[in-house]
Amino acid sequence: MKVLNYRVFLRKEPEGGYTVTVPSLSGCITYGETIDEAVKMAKEAIELYIETLTLHGEDIPIEDNVFETTVAVESNA
């Protein structure tokens, strides 16, 4: 069994909790009341997403060649 790693983004919601998105898996979004719960839900969502791709014979996206950085810009907003 191969271990796959995916970046996840957690966004704190105004009404509470965290929305989680997985950029490499289009449409893979979940939610948790706490950061720990959100990360747990993300893992579940990713596993189900990959299982579905496998069942349909589709390629599983991997992040082997993904690089990440932060870009700062000035704004008058």
Side-chain angles (χ1 to χ4, degrees):
M1 181 171 281
K2 184 176 182 180
V3 175
L4 302 174
N5 294 297
Y6 291 94
R7 292 171 303 127
V8 298
F9 295 128
L10 286 79
R11 173 175 288 125
K12 187 170 179 68
E13 296 297 343
E15 65 277 359
Y18 298 85
T19 297
V20 185
T21 57
V22 186
S24 292
L25 304 176
S26 179
C28 189
I29 301 170
T30 190
Y31 174 86
E33 290 289 336
T34 65
I35 290 176
D36 288 341
E37 181 184 11
V39 170
K40 179 182 173 192
M41 297 301 292
K43 184 176 179 181
E44 257 183 58
I46 291 167
E47 289 170 343
L48 290 170
Y49 194 105
I50 290 171
E51 183 179 319
T52 300
L53 291 175
T54 302
L55 287 172
H56 290 101
E58 297 180 37
D59 291 335
I60 298 171
I62 56 173
E63 291 192 344
D64 288 349
N65 294 315
V66 174
F67 303 98
E68 185 173 348
T69 190
T70 300
V71 178
V73 297
E74 292 185 18
S75 171
N76 293 324

CSV table of all heavy atoms in Angstrom, one decimal, residues 8 15 18-20 22 24-27 30-31 35 39 49-53 55-56 62 66 68-69 72 77:
chain,number,residue,atom,x,y,z
A,8,VAL,N,-4.1,20.3,2.5
A,8,VAL,CA,-5.5,20.7,2.8
A,8,VAL,C,-5.4,22.1,3.3
A,8,VAL,O,-4.5,22.6,3.9
A,8,VAL,CB,-6.2,19.8,3.8
A,8,VAL,CG1,-6.2,18.4,3.3
A,8,VAL,CG2,-5.5,19.8,5.1
A,15,GLU,N,-19.4,31.5,11.5
A,15,GLU,CA,-20.4,30.9,12.4
A,15,GLU,C,-19.8,29.8,13.2
A,15,GLU,O,-20.5,29.2,14.0
A,15,GLU,CB,-21.6,30.4,11.6
A,15,GLU,CG,-21.3,29.2,10.6
A,15,GLU,CD,-20.7,29.6,9.3
A,15,GLU,OE1,-20.6,30.8,9.0
A,15,GLU,OE2,-20.4,28.7,8.5
A,18,TYR,N,-14.6,24.8,10.8
A,18,TYR,CA,-13.6,25.0,9.7
A,18,TYR,C,-14.1,24.2,8.5
A,18,TYR,O,-14.4,23.0,8.6
A,18,TYR,CB,-12.3,24.4,10.2
A,18,TYR,CG,-11.7,25.2,11.4
A,18,TYR,CD1,-12.1,24.8,12.7
A,18,TYR,CD2,-10.8,26.2,11.2
A,18,TYR,CE1,-11.6,25.5,13.8
A,18,TYR,CE2,-10.4,26.9,12.3
A,18,TYR,CZ,-10.7,26.6,13.6
A,18,TYR,OH,-10.3,27.3,14.7
A,19,THR,N,-14.0,24.9,7.4
A,19,THR,CA,-14.2,24.3,6.1
A,19,THR,C,-12.9,23.8,5.5
A,19,THR,O,-11.9,24.6,5.6
A,19,THR,CB,-14.9,25.2,5.1
A,19,THR,OG1,-16.2,25.5,5.6
A,19,THR,CG2,-15.1,24.6,3.7
A,20,VAL,N,-12.8,22.6,5.0
A,20,VAL,CA,-11.5,22.1,4.5
A,20,VAL,C,-11.7,21.8,3.0
A,20,VAL,O,-12.6,21.2,2.6
A,20,VAL,CB,-11.2,20.7,5.2
A,20,VAL,CG1,-9.8,20.3,4.8
A,20,VAL,CG2,-11.2,20.9,6.7
A,22,VAL,N,-9.3,20.4,-0.5
A,22,VAL,CA,-8.2,19.6,-0.9
A,22,VAL,C,-7.9,20.1,-2.4
A,22,VAL,O,-8.6,19.6,-3.3
A,22,VAL,CB,-8.4,18.1,-0.8
A,22,VAL,CG1,-7.1,17.4,-1.2
A,22,VAL,CG2,-8.9,17.7,0.5
A,24,SER,N,-5.8,19.5,-4.8
A,24,SER,CA,-5.5,18.6,-5.8
A,24,SER,C,-6.6,17.6,-6.2
A,24,SER,O,-6.6,16.9,-7.2
A,24,SER,CB,-4.3,17.7,-5.4
A,24,SER,OG,-3.1,18.5,-5.4
A,25,LEU,N,-7.7,17.6,-5.3
A,25,LEU,CA,-8.8,16.7,-5.6
A,25,LEU,C,-10.1,17.6,-5.7
A,25,LEU,O,-10.8,18.0,-4.8
A,25,LEU,CB,-9.0,15.8,-4.4
A,25,LEU,CG,-7.8,14.9,-4.1
A,25,LEU,CD1,-8.1,14.0,-2.8
A,25,LEU,CD2,-7.4,14.0,-5.3
A,26,SER,N,-10.3,18.0,-7.0
A,26,SER,CA,-11.4,18.9,-7.3
A,26,SER,C,-12.8,18.5,-6.6
A,26,SER,O,-13.2,17.3,-6.8
A,26,SER,CB,-11.6,19.0,-8.8
A,26,SER,OG,-12.6,19.8,-9.2
A,27,GLY,N,-13.3,19.4,-5.9
A,27,GLY,CA,-14.6,19.1,-5.3
A,27,GLY,C,-14.5,18.4,-3.9
A,27,GLY,O,-15.6,18.1,-3.3
A,30,THR,N,-14.9,19.3,3.0
A,30,THR,CA,-15.5,18.8,4.2
A,30,THR,C,-15.5,19.9,5.2
A,30,THR,O,-15.1,21.0,5.0
A,30,THR,CB,-14.9,17.5,4.6
A,30,THR,OG1,-15.7,16.9,5.6
A,30,THR,CG2,-13.5,17.7,5.1
A,31,TYR,N,-16.0,19.5,6.4
A,31,TYR,CA,-16.1,20.5,7.5
A,31,TYR,C,-15.9,19.8,8.8
A,31,TYR,O,-16.2,18.6,9.0
A,31,TYR,CB,-17.6,21.1,7.4
A,31,TYR,CG,-17.9,22.0,8.6
A,31,TYR,CD1,-17.6,23.3,8.5
A,31,TYR,CD2,-18.5,21.5,9.7
A,31,TYR,CE1,-17.9,24.2,9.6
A,31,TYR,CE2,-18.9,22.3,10.8
A,31,TYR,CZ,-18.5,23.6,10.7
A,31,TYR,OH,-18.8,24.4,11.8
A,35,ILE,N,-10.3,22.1,14.7
A,35,ILE,CA,-9.3,21.8,13.7
A,35,ILE,C,-9.0,20.3,13.7
A,35,ILE,O,-8.9,19.7,12.6
A,35,ILE,CB,-8.0,22.6,14.1
A,35,ILE,CG1,-8.2,24.0,13.8
A,35,ILE,CG2,-6.8,22.0,13.3
A,35,ILE,CD1,-7.0,24.9,14.2
A,39,VAL,N,-9.5,18.0,10.3
A,39,VAL,CA,-8.4,17.2,9.7
A,39,VAL,C,-8.8,15.7,9.6
A,39,VAL,O,-8.6,15.1,8.6
A,39,VAL,CB,-7.1,17.3,10.6
A,39,VAL,CG1,-6.1,16.3,10.1
A,39,VAL,CG2,-6.6,18.8,10.4
A,49,TYR,N,-12.7,9.7,-1.7
A,49,TYR,CA,-12.5,10.3,-3.0
A,49,TYR,C,-11.6,9.3,-3.9
A,49,TYR,O,-11.9,9.0,-5.0
A,49,TYR,CB,-11.8,11.7,-2.9
A,49,TYR,CG,-11.8,12.5,-4.1
A,49,TYR,CD1,-12.7,13.6,-4.3
A,49,TYR,CD2,-10.9,12.3,-5.2
A,49,TYR,CE1,-12.7,14.4,-5.4
A,49,TYR,CE2,-10.9,13.1,-6.3
A,49,TYR,CZ,-11.8,14.2,-6.4
A,49,TYR,OH,-11.7,15.0,-7.5
A,50,ILE,N,-10.5,8.9,-3.3
A,50,ILE,CA,-9.6,8.0,-3.9
A,50,ILE,C,-10.2,6.7,-4.2
A,50,ILE,O,-10.0,6.1,-5.3
A,50,ILE,CB,-8.3,7.8,-3.1
A,50,ILE,CG1,-7.5,9.1,-3.1
A,50,ILE,CG2,-7.4,6.7,-3.6
A,50,ILE,CD1,-6.3,9.2,-2.2
A,51,GLU,N,-11.0,6.2,-3.3
A,51,GLU,CA,-11.7,4.9,-3.5
A,51,GLU,C,-12.7,5.0,-4.7
A,51,GLU,O,-12.7,4.1,-5.5
A,51,GLU,CB,-12.5,4.6,-2.2
A,51,GLU,CG,-13.2,3.2,-2.3
A,51,GLU,CD,-14.0,3.0,-1.0
A,51,GLU,OE1,-13.5,3.2,0.1
A,51,GLU,OE2,-15.1,2.5,-1.1
A,52,THR,N,-13.4,6.1,-4.8
A,52,THR,CA,-14.3,6.3,-5.9
A,52,THR,C,-13.5,6.4,-7.2
A,52,THR,O,-13.9,5.8,-8.2
A,52,THR,CB,-15.1,7.6,-5.7
A,52,THR,OG1,-15.8,7.5,-4.5
A,52,THR,CG2,-16.1,7.8,-6.9
A,53,LEU,N,-12.4,7.1,-7.3
A,53,LEU,CA,-11.6,7.2,-8.5
A,53,LEU,C,-11.1,5.8,-8.9
A,53,LEU,O,-11.2,5.4,-10.1
A,53,LEU,CB,-10.4,8.1,-8.3
A,53,LEU,CG,-10.6,9.6,-8.1
A,53,LEU,CD1,-9.3,10.3,-7.8
A,53,LEU,CD2,-11.3,10.1,-9.4
A,55,LEU,N,-12.5,2.8,-8.1
A,55,LEU,CA,-13.7,2.0,-8.6
A,55,LEU,C,-14.0,2.4,-10.0
A,55,LEU,O,-14.5,1.5,-10.8
A,55,LEU,CB,-14.9,2.3,-7.7
A,55,LEU,CG,-14.8,1.6,-6.3
A,55,LEU,CD1,-16.0,2.1,-5.5
A,55,LEU,CD2,-14.8,0.1,-6.5
A,56,HIS,N,-13.8,3.6,-10.4
A,56,HIS,CA,-14.2,4.1,-11.8
A,56,HIS,C,-13.0,4.0,-12.8
A,56,HIS,O,-13.1,4.4,-13.9
A,56,HIS,CB,-14.7,5.5,-11.8
A,56,HIS,CG,-16.1,5.6,-11.2
A,56,HIS,ND1,-16.3,6.0,-9.9
A,56,HIS,CD2,-17.3,5.3,-11.7
A,56,HIS,CE1,-17.6,6.0,-9.6
A,56,HIS,NE2,-18.2,5.5,-10.7
A,62,ILE,N,-1.7,13.0,-7.7
A,62,ILE,CA,-0.7,13.0,-6.7
A,62,ILE,C,0.0,14.4,-6.6
A,62,ILE,O,-0.1,15.1,-7.6
A,62,ILE,CB,0.4,11.9,-6.9
A,62,ILE,CG1,1.0,12.0,-8.3
A,62,ILE,CG2,-0.3,10.5,-6.7
A,62,ILE,CD1,2.2,11.0,-8.5
A,66,VAL,N,4.3,19.2,-6.7
A,66,VAL,CA,3.6,20.4,-6.4
A,66,VAL,C,4.5,21.2,-5.4
A,66,VAL,O,5.0,20.7,-4.4
A,66,VAL,CB,2.3,20.1,-5.7
A,66,VAL,CG1,1.6,21.4,-5.1
A,66,VAL,CG2,1.3,19.4,-6.6
A,68,GLU,N,4.8,24.9,-3.1
A,68,GLU,CA,3.9,25.9,-2.5
A,68,GLU,C,4.7,27.1,-2.0
A,68,GLU,O,5.8,26.9,-1.4
A,68,GLU,CB,3.1,25.2,-1.4
A,68,GLU,CG,2.1,26.1,-0.8
A,68,GLU,CD,1.2,25.4,0.2
A,68,GLU,OE1,1.2,24.2,0.3
A,68,GLU,OE2,0.5,26.1,0.9
A,69,THR,N,4.1,28.3,-2.1
A,69,THR,CA,4.8,29.5,-1.6
A,69,THR,C,3.6,30.4,-1.3
A,69,THR,O,2.5,30.3,-1.7
A,69,THR,CB,5.8,30.1,-2.5
A,69,THR,OG1,6.5,31.1,-1.8
A,69,THR,CG2,5.2,30.6,-3.8
A,72,ALA,N,3.0,37.9,-1.2
A,72,ALA,CA,2.5,39.1,-0.6
A,72,ALA,C,2.3,40.2,-1.6
A,72,ALA,O,3.1,40.5,-2.4
A,72,ALA,CB,3.4,39.6,0.6
A,77,ALA,N,-7.4,48.1,-0.3
A,77,ALA,CA,-8.7,47.7,0.1
A,77,ALA,C,-8.9,47.8,1.6
A,77,ALA,O,-8.0,47.7,2.4
A,77,ALA,CB,-9.0,46.3,-0.4
